[in-house]
Amino acid sequence: MNFADVNDDVVRSLVVTGRNYYVALGIAVTVTLVCFFFPWFYQLNYGIGAAGMNHPTVWGTYLASFIFWIGLSHSGTLLSCVLHITNSEWRKAMYRSAEAMTLFSLLVAATMVMVHVGRPWFIHWAAPYPNQMELWPNFRSPLLFDVMAITTYLTGSLIFIYMGSIPDFAAVRDRTKGWRHHMYVLLSLGWRGSDKEWHRLGWAYTFLAVLIIPLAVSVHSIVSWDFAMSIVPGLHQTIFAPYFVVGAIYSGTAGIVTVMFVLRKYLGFEHFIKKLHFDNLGKLLLVLSLLWTYINLLELFTGWYSGTSTEYEQLKYKLTGYYAPLYWEMILFCAAAPLLMFSRKFRTSFVPMLILSIAINIGMYTERFLIIATTLSRQYLPETWRVYVPSLVEVSILVGSLAMFITLFLLFVKIFPSVSIYEVKETMNPPTAKKDEPL
Amino acid sequence: MTNNALGIFADPESALAAAGQLKSAGFDGLEILSPIPIHGIDDVLGPKKSVIKRFTLFGGIFGGLAGFALAAGTAVMYAHPTGGRPIITIPPFLIITYEMTILCGILATVLGFFISARFPAIRERVYTPEAAVDKFVVTVACDTEESANRAGTVLREAGAEEVRNCSEDGT
């Protein structure tokens, strides 16, 4: 494998498109339209009552999906930044797709907010802009923190993935024709790879990485405050910020494992994504799963130790109430099953890792659902207790949001070089004068 | 019109060596185009300074001030007293300040990068597509054809696989 092969492989992944790709894209687009946009249109017409949310559970799967997608976004850019400033070589083959995952899950998360608010055509009221209605957002509200944090994170992630791709756009520009060529000419901004350009890119990229790490941590802390700043038993806890951040990185890393498997298998990136990557990601997942389990135990302990009847009731309801099967499913998928990764053999086997990573994300979705469903349906007054079950519209939109994410990702792999050309080359031996490779 | 001599090298070491020889022969306006960042390039071409860090710093400071002004200004203009607590509440406003610091820091970094690396490129510059694959290209800007020829000789002696002359319009 030499430098020219890397260019060939990556350019081929962009321009050569098989029938399977179109079939997958067709299915993803259809499911997005049928399962996401059609029910959403129905809900807009019928009113928010089409969703199963009602007093006291005024938040439902839409917000659970919102937290889930924000969480999934956490490993991409965050992990990529951490590995960049710690000079981890193994990051280089996988970070581009991980960052794309961040970007698209953020987009899907933002769409889930639109679905949740019921009247999305008034969403701009959350932004501070001069208007004749004397309407101005209240910056003391965690929801406003959320707007600021997510806008910043979306902007930052978009810029980070784009900036890291400029040299690769240039490499692809030289090899494509027609509309693709024009697109890459614009995207590469006239990159030539001169010493000055590399120097500036290195600095700017590192600064961005340093800025984005605290940002990513703040984003999910702020999402947690949407809940923790209420006085609902089970939500009003100081552990929530680290709990959400750990959960987010956990589910995001599992998401990366899933995506790596798919890229390796279907884009022919076996040379770049190797057992080493799965081994390292597996170790990371294992540590995160232990941390996540610890915080969960701590949550139970603080509930019990508080001695208040409301917290105690909440705890009992979570462990043995209506949603208990979901709780134990979550424990099985996110705390018990990941222990398999203590075995190196398991970490380096592709299919078991794929299955485990999907199971972890199912478990993590359940976690987000339970955070909302178990707490809001058991508040202070027993006469307000009511079980929440998602309606068909909500379930359909959940499925549709997954299809939307897949659609965006499928479009991404044909536009962005999904493996970083220049960073993969950096990990290889530089060419020597004697070994002359044809261009 | 400026002439440019281009030497195409197969490996980074000989490209660096050639650049060093050109520099000691008195040529200015040296550039090395490469598919990957080359380590040790500063020892040959001299250390580079970048203004990006200033952009990041001042962008961040501006963002922080703007963020706090936005939150505090809102609180003052649309006063909403709750339980006798202060109108300008520091802890929640610090979060807005923090987010805006990072947002403006990021945007300023991008601006700094574009300005200092001269992006997007408006006019054609010396380029050869091999530099994006596996070749290391040393380019020298020369005033006259004669000095371009002299630079070409130095490049050839330093082991260039190919030497080209091209004018500034990129041909």
Side-chain angles (χ1 to χ4, degrees):
Chain A
M1 183 110 189
N2 57 37
F3 275 26
D5 292 341
V6 180
N7 283 48
D8 290 345
D9 273 5
V10 175
V11 172
R12 184 178 43 74
S13 81
L14 290 171
V15 298
V16 181
T17 308
R19 207 171 60 96
N20 290 347
Y21 174 83
Y22 288 112
V23 172
L25 185 65
I27 293 173
V29 171
T30 314
V31 175
T32 310
L33 288 175
V34 173
C35 292
F36 189 90
F37 286 101
F38 177 70
W40 187 15
F41 182 71
Y42 171 73
Q43 181 188 293
L44 288 175
N45 248 330
Y46 181 87
I48 195 76
M53 297 180 287
N54 207 337
H55 199 75
T57 319
V58 287
W59 290 349
T61 54
Y62 295 153
L63 277 192
S65 311
F66 165 73
I67 317 173
F68 174 77
W69 287 112
I70 294 275
L72 199 63
S73 79
H74 260 62
S75 259
T77 308
L78 178 63
L79 194 69
S80 165
C81 291
V82 172
L83 296 177
H84 174 68
I85 57 175
T86 52
N87 270 331
S88 303
E89 289 287 304
W90 62 277
R91 153 192 185 270
K92 295 185 170 173
M94 45 155 264
Y95 80 95
R96 182 73 48 74
S97 358
E99 287 171 13
M101 223 173 78
T102 295
L103 196 60
F104 300 139
S105 36
L106 277 174
L107 286 176
V108 176
T111 324
M112 291 315 294
V113 177
M114 300 285 177
V115 178
H116 174 79
V117 291
R119 293 190 296 169
W121 51 93
F122 291 132
I123 197 83
H124 57 286
W125 286 2
Y129 69 101
N131 61 76
Q132 80 282 26
M133 298 179 288
E134 297 251 320
L135 184 74
W136 203 260
N138 175 9
F139 284 104
R140 287 180 222 167
S141 156
L143 296 180
L144 245 291
F145 306 165
D146 233 6
V147 172
M148 303 292 285
I150 290 168
T151 315
T152 306
Y153 194 42
L154 192 58
T155 316
S157 305
L158 183 65
I159 288 173
F160 194 66
I161 190 173
Y162 175 66
M163 204 177 259
S165 309
I166 293 175
D168 291 352
F169 285 140
V172 178
R173 165 193 70 194
D174 301 339
R175 296 279 300 271
T176 46
K177 292 189 178 69
W179 64 270
R180 276 203 182 87
H181 178 72
H182 294 297
M183 180 175 77
Y184 291 119
V185 165
L186 288 178
L187 286 173
S188 63
L189 301 173
W191 174 272
R192 299 181 302 149
S194 74
D195 46 313
K196 188 169 118 185
E197 289 169 354
W198 284 119
H199 175 255
R200 303 294 193 269
L201 180 73
W203 273 109
Y205 201 65
T206 306
F207 279 134
L208 285 182
V210 170
L211 284 169
I212 284 173
I213 293 168
L215 171 65
V217 173
S218 84
V219 170
H220 226 59
S221 305
I222 287 172
V223 171
S224 84
W225 294 335
D226 289 345
F227 300 92
M229 286 204 183
S230 67
I231 50 163
V232 176
L235 292 182
H236 192 54
Q237 295 190 3
T238 46
I239 192 78
F240 255 44
Y243 179 35
F244 270 50
V245 173
V246 168
I249 302 175
Y250 186 29
S251 89
T253 311
I256 292 181
V257 173
T258 314
V259 169
M260 286 305 127
F261 181 89
V262 174
L263 284 183
R264 186 178 185 281
K265 177 114 183 150
Y266 296 104
L267 281 183
F269 283 153
E270 286 93 350
H271 307 303
F272 305 118
I273 301 164
K274 297 178 186 150
K275 282 191 172 171
L276 166 83
H277 298 100
F278 279 74
D279 191 20
N280 286 340
L281 284 171
K283 284 178 197 160
L284 189 63
L285 264 183
L286 181 62
V287 171
L288 288 166
S289 89
L290 295 175
L291 207 55
W292 182 88
T293 311
Y294 167 72
I295 293 182
N296 261 279
L297 289 174
L298 206 62
E299 202 196 0
L300 295 182
F301 174 78
T302 22
W304 168 76
Y305 192 69
S306 74
T308 40
S309 59
T310 46
E311 284 287 342
Y312 200 71
E313 172 60 33
Q314 176 53 240
L315 209 64
K316 215 171 73 189
Y317 186 59
K318 196 194 266 181
L319 297 182
T320 58
Y322 181 80
Y323 300 108
L326 285 178
Y327 182 81
W328 294 109
E329 170 256 313
M330 170 186 92
I331 294 295
L332 174 69
F333 284 172
C334 295
L339 297 178
L340 286 170
M341 284 184 296
F342 270 112
S343 141
R344 190 184 145 75
K345 191 152 182 274
F346 187 90
R347 288 199 306 268
T348 49
S349 331
F350 296 114
V351 178
M353 281 294 279
L354 172 75
I355 296 170
L356 180 66
S357 69
I358 293 173
I360 288 175
N361 265 323
I362 294 174
M364 288 310 291
Y365 186 85
T366 315
E367 185 219 81
R368 276 64 181 258
F369 176 77
L370 289 176
I371 284 173
I372 292 172
T374 55
T375 51
L376 294 183
S377 55
R378 285 266 146 150
Q379 296 187 40
Y380 295 98
L381 298 174
E383 69 260 29
T384 62
W385 289 355
R386 187 164 158 264
V387 165
Y388 159 74
V389 179
S391 72
L392 192 61
V393 170
E394 285 173 292
V395 174
S396 168
I397 284 184
L398 169 62
V399 174
S401 71
L402 183 65
M404 183 154 66
F405 176 77
I406 294 172
T407 308
L408 290 169
F409 205 89
L410 284 172
L411 294 176
F412 156 83
V413 294
K414 290 293 158 190
I415 294 174
F416 275 72
S418 28
V419 163
S420 170
I421 299 176
Y422 79 94
E423 298 215 51
V424 165
K425 284 180 186 168
E426 276 188 295
T427 62
M428 299 163 56
N429 292 326
T432 50
K434 285 165 200 111
K435 207 178 99 193
D436 225 10
E437 302 297 340
L439 289 173
Chain B
M1 189 169 67
T2 322
N3 280 304
N4 281 277
L6 257 75
I8 300 179
F9 293 85
D11 60 316
E13 288 80 21
S14 30
L16 277 182
Q21 286 169 25
L22 283 169
K23 196 155 180 151
S24 47
F27 285 97
D28 281 330
L30 283 168
E31 266 190 327
I32 300 183
L33 311 184
S34 56
I36 51 171
I38 307 175
H39 297 292
I41 201 161
D42 287 354
D43 304 336
V44 180
L45 296 184
K48 291 187 191 60
K49 275 192 177 167
S50 122
V51 291
I52 297 178
K53 52 180 178 274
R54 297 221 171 83
F55 274 88
T56 312
L57 176 68
F58 288 108
I61 292 173
F62 169 79
L65 294 175
F68 192 80
L70 175 68
T74 300
V76 172
M77 278 161 39
Y78 299 80
H80 182 213
T82 33
R85 297 200 187 112
I87 295 292
I88 297 180
T89 37
I90 301 298
F93 291 178
L94 281 185
I95 294 164
I96 306 289
T97 310
Y98 181 81
E99 297 301 330
M100 283 289 281
T101 307
I102 293 179
L103 179 62
C104 293
I106 288 175
L107 292 176
T109 307
V110 177
L111 188 69
F113 170 64
F114 278 13
I115 290 174
S116 69
R118 299 224 213 132
F119 283 134
I122 296 161
R123 61 185 175 83
E124 289 274 339
R125 294 181 288 189
V126 180
Y127 180 64
T128 169
E130 292 95 320
V133 186
D134 55 358
K135 300 293 174 193
F136 298 81
V137 180
V138 179
T139 76
V140 209
C142 308
D143 302 328
T144 60
E145 202 155 315
E146 188 266 321
S147 67
N149 289 337
R150 201 156 56 85
T153 320
V154 177
L155 285 170
R156 217 168 273 120
E157 276 166 11
E161 290 183 337
E162 195 185 334
V163 174
R164 293 180 199 160
N165 275 335
C166 71
S167 57
E168 186 70 299
D169 60 8
T171 47

